[in-house]
Amino acid sequence: GTTQQHTADVDDQNKESILKLRKTKGFTLIELMIVIAIIAIIAAIAIPNLIEARKHGNEAAAIGALKTVASSQSLFREGDKEGDGNLDYGTLDELATQSLIDTILGTGTKQGYLFGGTYSSVTSEFLWFAVANPAMPGTTGDRYFASNNEGVTYYTTSATVGLNSTSCIVPTTMSPIGK
């Protein structure tokens, strides 16, 4: 009798241990739903901030690219990089061909912005104009940029800036960066 009683007690203890393990192992549905809700709230807060940070990064890259174009235009002109004896400015493609700007910028698309750049059709020896417009306004950037032979980068938030290849004058609706 005592052996059977001892075996029955051990079996009952084992069953209780197994039941306790089952009860404490894993998470309940409510606990999982709470965790998912917390993650969703954090994502709802973080994602807009990440999108804004990306837009600001794209805009900073566009400003930097226009500064690179300005420096490259001076090097292109003063070094007569096309070798035609005429000290004139170049297009983005010509600047890229001479390795004065990277080939990605030379294609006119870089980091969420569309670039354009050319010399004046009236006086290519003295004037050039370049623009950077967001590829998807409001998504890849909020500001539109322009620069010319003066070397100052301007911006606006109102509308796409067209490539002025005649007078190369920056529209009066634009403000210099930093003001």
Side-chain angles (χ1 to χ4, degrees):
T2 53
T3 311
Q4 287 178 341
Q5 180 63 34
H6 179 68
T7 306
D9 288 342
V10 170
D11 285 344
D12 286 342
Q13 287 175 354
N14 285 341
K15 287 179 185 175
E16 284 179 27
S17 297
I18 291 169
L19 287 174
K20 282 182 183 177
L21 279 176
R22 277 195 192 145
K23 288 180 183 175
T24 59
K25 200 176 191 183
F27 299 102
T28 66
L29 181 59
I30 298 294
E31 290 170 332
L32 290 173
M33 290 180 73
I34 290 170
V35 169
I36 290 170
I38 291 170
I39 291 170
I41 290 169
I42 292 170
I45 293 168
I47 290 173
N49 292 337
L50 292 174
I51 291 170
E52 283 301 311
R54 172 168 265 183
K55 279 198 287 191
H56 291 300
N58 288 348
E59 289 176 356
I63 292 166
L66 287 177
K67 289 180 180 181
T68 299
V69 168
S71 299
S72 300
Q73 286 286 18
S74 294
L75 292 170
F76 185 89
R77 180 180 182 269
E78 298 308 317
D80 188 24
K81 294 294 184 177
E82 37 183 13
D84 62 358
N86 185 16
L87 298 179
D88 56 353
Y89 294 113
T91 63
L92 289 183
D93 185 52
E94 290 172 322
L95 297 176
T97 300
Q98 296 300 319
S99 299
L100 296 172
I101 61 173
D102 64 78
T103 54
I104 296 170
L105 179 56
T107 64
T109 303
K110 187 173 182 177
Q111 280 189 272
Y113 269 79
L114 304 174
F115 292 86
T118 191
Y119 49 82
S120 168
S121 59
V122 177
T123 175
S124 63
E125 299 87 5
F126 301 107
L127 303 174
W128 63 267
F129 194 75
V131 297
N133 294 301
M136 296 184 340
T139 302
T140 60
D142 292 326
R143 297 189 293 172
Y144 305 83
F145 302 100
S147 186
N148 63 9
N149 47 285
E150 294 173 357
V152 178
T153 303
Y154 294 83
Y155 78 96
T156 184
T157 57
S158 60
T160 299
V161 182
L163 189 60
N164 180 348
S165 62
T166 310
S167 67
C168 298
I169 295 174
V170 174
T172 57
T173 57
M174 301 186 81
S175 302
I177 296 290
K179 291 195 177 186

